[in-house]
Amino acid sequence: MHHVLSAQQFSKSELLLILKQAEEMEKVLAQGGTDIAHNKILATFFYEPSTRTRLSFETAMLRLGGKVISTPNALAVSSVTKGETVEDTARILSGFADIIAMRSKEVGYAERAAKVSSVPILNAGDGPGEHPTQSLLDLFTIKKYFNLEKPLQLVFVGDMKYGRTVHSLETILRHFPNIALTFIAPSSLEIPLKHFHPEKGDQKMTQLTDEILEQSDVIYDTRVQEERFEDRNEYLKLRDAFIFDEKKVARMKKNAILMHPLPRVNEIASAVDGLPQAKYFEQARNGVPVRMALIARALKLIET
Ligand code: NCD
């Protein structure tokens, strides 16, 4: 079954095929959509807040001609509040829907759901673990501007410890060894060892220097993940560690891109939005064609 649980599951040829299929879905979108999924239902079951991910999954399914059932606030309104396990939820939902996109507070929920589900599970973020579908739309965005096989300086900035989008993107970028990775975070939020490979040339730093700004091709900024902190004061101390304002972004190369999975809090000033390097809104839009491709693949409506 075509679950999407972790960025680790993809081979390079699968990644390249997904990118191509997402490009095809962009053309389909330009025509207003298709109806290849006309008799299919997507269930979105989210235990954690979301705007982009849930609504872009749902948009993707609707543009494929399918239907959607949704629990956007599972922790408050579903039987989870009565103590239902993820396994039971998955068993039930897989009796209703043809495919399930799920976001959880804890690592590993999507895998647990996949073990018992009779339909494909798409991991839409599992706590501080992974966010594999986001990493595919991130890769798709990078590929719009750069040749993935040529040398490229990619710098992650922000919360490397809890940022699941970083963890998944780091994983898939290993298929493109010409992309050099640098991780910049306050020392208490540094990149976990399993995602940091100095033997492959990775660097880590605690400061966002002018040199980094001037030399990077892709800067992937992230939000400090407030919801993972027990001590709010600790979060407040770290929240504004790196702020991209117009002055900083003006130091970047003209053809460099600034990405962010969003939502942003303070870390990118709104004055940056109009600069040519700012690509985060386009990045979010890319979620629709990429998720169309992923849903269509999982439902075996296109080549896998
Ligand atoms: C990210 C997430 O949920 O991990 N958002 C998203 O899905 N685009 C990033 C974040 O919440 O900071």
Side-chain angles (χ1 to χ4, degrees):
M1 214 184 314
H2 276 281
H3 301 299
V4 176
L5 302 177
S6 162
Q8 281 174 35
Q9 76 187 61
F10 298 110
S11 67
K12 182 158 182 180
S13 59
E14 273 174 309
L15 289 175
L16 296 177
L17 180 58
I18 294 168
L19 293 176
K20 198 170 132 251
Q21 291 169 325
E23 269 169 29
E24 281 158 22
M25 291 301 178
E26 273 190 322
K27 293 184 201 137
V28 168
L29 275 171
Q31 311 290 318
T34 169
D35 63 353
I36 55 171
H38 68 96
N39 52 357
K40 304 288 185 190
I41 295 178
L42 164 76
T44 54
F45 197 85
F46 277 49
Y47 295 86
E48 275 199 337
S50 168
T51 302
R52 270 151 297 275
T53 304
R54 187 174 60 82
L55 293 177
S56 74
F57 264 119
E58 297 185 1
T59 304
M61 187 52 160
L62 295 171
R63 295 284 187 199
L64 288 169
K67 297 190 170 65
V68 174
I69 55 174
S70 183
T71 295
N73 190 2
L75 275 182
V77 300
S78 75
S79 290
V80 173
T81 59
K82 303 177 187 168
E84 185 158 71
T85 63
V86 65
E87 284 82 3
D88 282 1
T89 302
R91 279 192 191 96
I92 299 304
L93 289 180
S94 63
F96 298 162
D98 301 285
I99 181 165
I100 301 168
M102 173 178 264
R103 168 170 287 188
S104 65
K105 246 189 159 39
E106 286 159 54
V107 176
Y109 258 49
E111 264 167 51
R112 283 173 57 192
K115 286 211 171 87
V116 299
S117 173
S118 57
V119 303
I121 299 284
L122 308 174
N123 178 3
D126 61 331
E130 285 223 37
H131 197 343
T133 67
Q134 174 77 36
S135 68
L136 294 168
L137 74 91
D138 293 340
L139 186 68
F140 185 71
T141 305
I142 298 168
K143 187 177 170 276
K144 283 196 182 276
Y145 294 95
F146 298 101
N147 181 338
L148 300 173
E149 303 299 341
K150 295 247 172 85
L152 207 64
Q153 297 291 330
L154 189 146
V155 180
F156 289 104
V157 179
D159 187 343
M160 303 294 105
K161 181 177 178 189
Y162 298 119
R164 57 193 173 196
T165 67
V166 174
H167 303 161
S168 290
L169 184 54
E170 171 276 325
T171 302
I172 62 168
L173 288 175
R174 299 300 174 186
H175 291 289
F176 305 93
N178 285 322
I179 304 183
L181 303 185
T182 301
F183 301 91
I184 303 183
S187 50
S188 58
L189 296 178
E190 74 177 16
I191 186 80
L193 282 180
K194 76 171 190 181
H195 294 289
F196 182 63
H197 297 283
E199 78 284 1
K200 294 184 174 153
D202 290 5
Q203 313 259 10
K204 64 180 170 184
M205 302 177 164
T206 54
Q207 299 295 327
L208 177 61
T209 61
D210 286 348
E211 208 184 343
I212 287 282
L213 289 167
E214 286 156 12
Q215 291 176 1
S216 311
D217 300 299
V218 179
I219 297 186
Y220 189 102
D221 190 26
T222 61
R223 170 180 72 91
V224 175
Q225 307 277 294
E226 177 178 9
E227 61 275 38
R228 312 287 173 223
F229 286 78
E230 271 161 27
D231 178 356
R232 192 171 149 76
N233 287 328
E234 191 54 28
Y235 161 71
L236 291 174
K237 265 194 255 158
L238 296 166
R239 184 183 68 176
D240 299 333
F242 311 108
I243 293 186
F244 284 85
D245 56 19
E246 276 173 293
K247 255 168 80 189
K248 279 214 176 73
V249 177
R251 296 198 92 95
M252 289 171 66
K253 294 186 207 170
K254 284 285 158 287
N255 66 342
I257 65 173
L258 177 61
M259 298 174 65
H260 190 301
L262 303 178
R264 65 172 152 186
V265 187
N266 282 342
E267 61 276 8
I268 302 180
S270 57
V272 171
D273 299 353
L275 300 181
Q277 293 92 342
K279 298 291 185 242
Y280 28 91
F281 292 118
E282 176 187 332
Q283 181 186 352
R285 270 199 309 279
N286 289 337
V288 175
V290 169
R291 292 185 168 113
M292 285 171 79
L294 291 173
I295 293 170
R297 287 168 60 84
L299 292 173
K300 302 198 170 83
L301 303 172
I302 56 175
E303 184 194 347
T304 54

